[in-house]
Structure formats: C-alpha cells, structure tokens
Amino acid sequence: MDRRRAGWVVVAVAVLAAAGLPAAGGRWIGGSAAIAPVAPAPAVGQCVTVDRNDPVEIRRTGAGVIQIPAVHPIDCRFAHDGEVTSVLERPDAFTPLDYFAPPTADFRSCGAPAQAYLGLTEPSSGRSRFSPWAPVGVGAAQGAGPDARQRAAGQRWRACVLLPAGAHRYPGSAAGAFDGGVLPASWATCTLQVFPLWRSSVPCSGRHTVEIFGVAPVAAAADAAALRRLETACRGLVAAATRMPDPAAGGALRVAVRVEHYDRSGRPIEGPPTAADQQGRAGCVVQSAAGRPLGRTLAGLGAAPLPWTG
C-alpha cells in the first residue's frame, strides 16, 4: 500500500512540473511565422557586398550568356566591397564591365556614372576635370544584379558598382571624393621611392615617403608641353584629393609628375618612352621633400597637421 501511494506521489509531481514548465521558460506569445520582405533594388550611394556565388545571367543577342554577380546592401560604416553608382531598369541597355574607361557617348556603360560619382567630371558637361589622370586607387566599375530571392520576385534591375583597386573590403564611402568628399584611406597607394615607382608599394597606414594619386599613359617622346599639361592636371588632382590649402605644405612636400617606361626586355627606365620602347606611364605623386616618413594618407587631410611619423 505504501509503495502504491508513493507511485501516485511521483506521478503527481511529474504532472505539476510539466504544467509549470511553460511559465518557467517564459510566456507563450500567439502569432504565426511570416516570410521576410524581399529587399528592393539598391539606390545610388548604397554600399554593398558582392556575392559571386550567386551569378545573374544576361542573355544578349550575338553575345551569348554574360554573368554578373548579385549584391547585398550593407551599412557603409562596416567593411564592404563597393558602392552603387547607378541603377538601370533595362537589362538590355547594359555594359557588364567597364574598367574605368574615360566617359564616352555610351552612357549605358558603368564608367561614366562612376567618374561622376567620385566627382571626377564636370556635372554640366561630363568632361573629366583632371584628364588624362585616373585615380590610382580606383578599380573597376562593374555590373551587378538582384540576388536569387529578388529574381524570384520578378526584379530585373542592373546596377553599376564601383570597386577599389585590389578588390579589398573597406569601411566608408568614396562618394564625391574629388569634389569635397574624402577618399577611403584604404584606397590610397604609397611607396618608399620614386623610381621604380610601381615596385615598392606599401600600405599608407605605415611609414612611407611617397603617395601616388594618379596614373596616366605617356606617349613615345612626349614633348615639354605635354609634360606641363600633366603637371598642371596633377596639381589639381592632388588639391582635390587632399583638400589641403597648400598641397606643398610650405615646401615640406613636393607635388611632382614621375614618368617611367619599360624597354623591350621589361627593364624600368626613367623618362618618356621612345618608339622602340613599351608605352610609358606617369605617376602624379606627393613626396616628402626631406625624406621624412609619413604615417597615413594625405587624402582628405585638409588643414590638419601633416601626419609625420618617427
């Protein structure tokens, strides 16, 4: 009899415990699951991550199938792949990849919107403000499209996304960087020497003596007038990128054009190329006049003190 009574006590305790579990774990809330809304097309200026594992296929007459990646919006304060410079609603009026070619009459390409987004062109005419210089830290202006969920919902837009050179992720925005904005620090390109200019690249967050702001092609045997035009445009590019009242900082810095080319064997040589050489290129640089190292980029410095280190 005692054993049977003890069994009922155990059952009663178990029932009471089960009845009390919902209250112990929190209150039950009524409702039903709902599908998250599909994101709309991105807007110009929105920062995005690029998803190359979710390609968008474009079928074009005579060109077969072209693939572009999908993109996902993200707050510009966090690391991202690029920024939307234009959005197109017509998939057929779309050039999928334009490696930052100068603006042309083909406004369907990504190059012209990217230059305008950075503040490199005149708003009224679309002409380049610093021709023939192209900012060295700017990479490809690439096409992108909706992700799988957006495609399933019927979205067919195409966007142009501006990416930095090196395809690294970065925080911040490059919008209007050469027209009152600030170029992201990670887009800057610095070196330890002026020749060979392109073989000693270092992060601008570390010690360096030279920062490269632009690159331009140089024709064979370029004359003095052509080099003077390069110098004038270079000073304008540096002033716009740094926003410094005096980009030379009273003589502490030197704004200069450095021209080099490669001979037929690939050996770097200072100066413009001859007809027998490979094409040359120029760098629009700011150099520490006394060789004192700088510790960060001059982009967007304004009236702040020079970032000397050591």
Side-chain angles (χ1 to χ4, degrees):
M1 192 68 181
D2 292 340
R3 187 175 301 169
R4 183 178 300 173
R5 187 181 296 114
W8 281 110
V9 170
V10 171
V11 171
V13 170
V15 170
L16 290 173
L21 280 177
R27 297 180 59 188
W28 289 99
I29 299 175
S32 58
I35 299 175
V38 178
V44 172
Q46 194 160 43
C47 295
V48 294
T49 57
V50 176
D51 186 357
R52 301 188 186 280
N53 295 319
D54 184 14
V56 181
E57 291 191 351
I58 305 174
R59 297 187 179 277
R60 304 184 65 176
T61 303
V65 177
I66 299 171
Q67 288 189 337
I68 57 175
V71 291
H72 306 287
I74 187 174
D75 192 310
C76 290
R77 293 174 298 176
F78 304 112
H80 51 272
D81 293 311
E83 300 167 46
V84 176
T85 59
S86 63
V87 180
L88 306 174
E89 296 296 336
R90 289 181 53 206
D92 58 327
F94 184 74
T95 301
L97 185 62
D98 182 345
Y99 280 100
F100 213 70
T104 65
D106 180 15
F107 292 105
R108 298 173 302 175
S109 72
C110 287
Q115 292 208 23
Y117 182 80
L118 289 168
L120 290 170
T121 53
E122 298 288 351
S124 57
S125 64
R127 294 180 180 176
S128 175
R129 297 169 58 199
F130 312 109
S131 181
W133 294 107
V136 71
V138 177
Q142 179 176 318
D147 62 25
R149 289 193 68 215
Q150 291 171 319
R151 295 195 298 273
Q155 296 187 25
R156 296 293 181 265
W157 52 266
R158 302 290 180 257
C160 291
V161 176
L162 180 63
L163 307 173
H168 54 268
R169 289 192 168 185
Y170 64 97
S173 173
F178 297 90
D179 191 20
V182 179
L183 196 69
S186 60
W187 289 36
T189 303
C190 296
T191 73
L192 298 173
Q193 59 191 30
V194 294
F195 179 79
L197 188 61
W198 311 98
R199 291 191 177 181
S200 57
S201 177
V202 296
C204 290
S205 56
R207 293 166 62 92
H208 61 274
T209 54
V210 181
E211 183 166 355
I212 310 174
F213 285 88
V215 60
V218 177
D223 58 19
L227 295 178
R228 283 197 298 271
R229 287 193 294 271
L230 277 176
E231 291 172 356
T232 299
C234 172
R235 287 193 292 270
L237 177 65
V238 170
T242 65
R243 292 190 293 160
M244 295 170 61
D246 173 20
L253 302 174
R254 184 162 54 243
V255 180
V257 173
R258 296 290 179 176
V259 180
E260 61 186 57
H261 66 278
Y262 294 88
D263 63 16
R264 293 297 181 184
S265 64
R267 181 170 57 96
I269 300 173
E270 285 191 89
T274 67
D277 298 314
Q278 300 180 35
Q279 186 181 43
R281 60 178 171 176
C284 173
V285 308
V286 176
Q287 181 182 4
S288 172
R292 186 179 177 184
L294 295 159
R296 69 176 182 86
T297 177
L298 299 173
L301 184 68
L306 292 176
W308 299 119
T309 181

